Amino acid sequence: MKKFVVASLLAMTVAAPAFAADVSYRVEAHGGWDRVSVASGNDEGFAYGLGAGVDYAVNPKLFVGLEANVDDSTQKDCVTDVITFGDRLCAGSGRDLSLVGRIGTVLSDGYKLYALAGYTNARLKLSYDDGVTSASTGTNLDGFRLGAGVQLPFVGQSYSKVEYRYSNYESDFSRHQVLVGVGLNF
């Protein structure tokens, strides 16, 4: 998967001069519903983050792009009385880094409808506290992300968006997200 991402970045960099007149850069903030599944259990939280990307107009109706995101989530599930009375064991998702490619079409009035696919790396955190001893650990999990969305022009160079993401990681860990965002094109 990492080789695919590097090859995509290289191809976009090499192709950039050909599309130089039709390049749009963007930055955004986004947030929304985050459902995390590990093995047979799942829990929900609020995902939030920042993204940056570049889109190249292939023709007036077709674009391709590249996007990087840094996200986090409030998702955390805790249980008590695991080993001793009053102790607490928590599992939660941490930061999520992604690099995805986008392909889409420009609809009437500048609306963009797109699909995305790429690489993601999430942090899974575990913590334990019994009132005397506390410990925490975490692991990074590689995976792939698929999604689709619509980007709506707003006032001036700003835009809003609605996006669905599905991410599948190692160790039977996956997530579904529905996000809304606002951003600026420049």
Side-chain angles (χ1 to χ4, degrees):
M1 181 64 75
K2 291 179 187 177
K3 290 178 185 177
F4 172 75
V5 171
V6 171
S8 297
L9 278 171
L10 183 59
M12 297 288 278
T13 303
V14 170
F19 300 116
D22 297 321
V23 175
S24 171
Y25 298 94
R26 60 193 162 71
V27 293
E28 69 182 41
H30 50 258
W33 175 74
D34 185 24
R35 180 181 178 139
V36 175
S37 299
V38 180
S40 60
N42 56 63
D43 192 37
E44 297 177 0
F46 181 79
Y48 54 95
L50 301 172
V54 59
D55 289 335
Y56 302 100
V58 175
N59 64 46
K61 293 290 183 187
L62 179 67
F63 72 92
V64 295
L66 195 60
E67 178 177 290
N69 291 286
V70 177
D71 297 313
D72 205 344
S73 177
T74 63
Q75 182 277 324
K76 185 176 183 179
D77 192 26
C78 297
V79 292
T80 57
D81 304 328
V82 177
I83 298 172
T84 62
F85 181 75
D87 65 354
R88 182 177 165 121
L89 176 66
C90 296
S93 56
R95 62 105 185 111
D96 188 358
L97 308 174
S98 66
L99 182 62
V100 298
R102 296 187 345 154
I103 185 167
T105 186
V106 180
L107 304 173
S108 63
D109 298 328
Y111 288 53
K112 289 183 174 181
L113 184 63
Y114 61 90
L116 60 88
Y119 170 77
T120 182
N121 178 279
R123 182 113 177 118
L124 184 62
K125 302 180 294 186
L126 296 172
S127 63
Y128 176 79
D129 189 347
D130 64 4
V132 176
T133 304
S134 63
S136 63
T137 187
T139 187
N140 294 331
L141 303 172
D142 294 320
F144 68 88
R145 173 167 290 159
L146 301 172
V150 62
Q151 189 172 308
L152 316 162
F154 210 45
V155 178
Q157 295 297 322
S158 63
Y159 67 88
S160 59
K161 79 173 193 177
V162 177
E163 183 174 279
Y164 167 76
R165 297 175 178 174
Y166 168 73
S167 303
N168 191 308
Y169 307 89
E170 305 168 89
S171 303
D172 205 17
F173 177 66
S174 64
R175 73 184 344 143
H176 295 272
Q177 297 173 319
V178 177
L179 304 174
V180 295
V182 294
L184 290 173
N185 292 305
F186 51 97

